Amino acid sequence: MDPVIEYVFGVGDGSPITWCSPADAVLGGGVADAVRLDFDGDGRLDDVLWDRDGDGRADLSGLDLDDDGVPDKWFSDNGSGVWGQSEPAPSAATPQIPGPEIPTPQIETPAPADVHVTWTSLDGTSQTSTATEDAEGSRTLIDFTGDGDTRDLLYDRDSDGQGEIVVVRTGGRVYFDTDGDQRFDQVLVDRDLDGTADEVMSPGEPGFGL
């Protein structure tokens, strides 16, 4: 069984949310020591959280911005869960995120039977979508922005039937339900699309909605 790696997401103050995922990538050699994620919002699991020192907790995040399987930028977390501290590339040869590549799910492709994810739009309307489930949880493409284009990516990381993360296809926005109340209550905004969050907003703040 692959080891489990712990990591946190947060807004920079208050208590961050702790997550645990099975390691599914080998970056340091030997055993699986990293978790593949989609940090940059391109719909590909080509970014990574790396437990470089093997203590069971991720200490580096790597972003593959040009989709070549090699992280271009590295960041660490000061404990707040924002992962905004730029770090130099590892001194050894830059690790390559292993394949096989997991393709972006297509909304027309039927998911395994009876796998559904419920989510709440920004106007408070509850929605249910058919989802694809694998070791990373459940994911599906939705129209979160309300413009008729179903290319926003919804994640249900713990496969409890409730979506907790939405990666908006454009504009560098990632929405989170941090307290599990079935409403998105935090958005990270990367305005210059450099892979680092520039602003964190909560409901009621100007610009929280699309």
Side-chain angles (χ1 to χ4, degrees), residues 115-130:
V115 178
H116 298 89
V117 176
T118 299
W119 53 282
T120 302
S121 62
L122 293 178
D123 64 5
T125 303
S126 180
Q127 312 274 354
T128 299
S129 300
T130 304

Side-chain angles (χ1 to χ4, degrees), residues 77-178:
D77 171 35
N78 63 5
S80 66
V82 175
W83 296 92
Q85 298 184 151
S86 182
E87 297 287 345
S91 56
T94 302
Q96 183 163 349
I97 302 173
E101 178 182 312
I102 299 177
T104 301
Q106 300 299 313
I107 198 67
E108 297 82 7
T109 302
D114 300 325
V115 178
H116 298 89
V117 176
T118 299
W119 53 282
T120 302
S121 62
L122 293 178
D123 64 5
T125 303
S126 180
Q127 312 274 354
T128 299
S129 300
T130 304
T132 298
E133 186 174 32
D134 58 22
E136 292 292 327
S138 303
R139 64 177 62 85
T140 187
L141 298 176
I142 63 172
D143 177 16
F144 188 71
T145 62
D147 62 359
D149 191 335
T150 53
R151 289 184 294 168
D152 303 315
L153 192 57
L154 173 70
Y155 287 96
D156 174 12
R157 296 283 303 172
D158 53 8
S159 296
D160 66 350
Q162 176 63 43
E164 304 98 357
I165 304 174
V166 172
V167 180
V168 178
R169 69 186 181 280
T170 58
R173 285 175 170 254
V174 183
Y175 284 84
F176 295 88
D177 173 9
T178 63

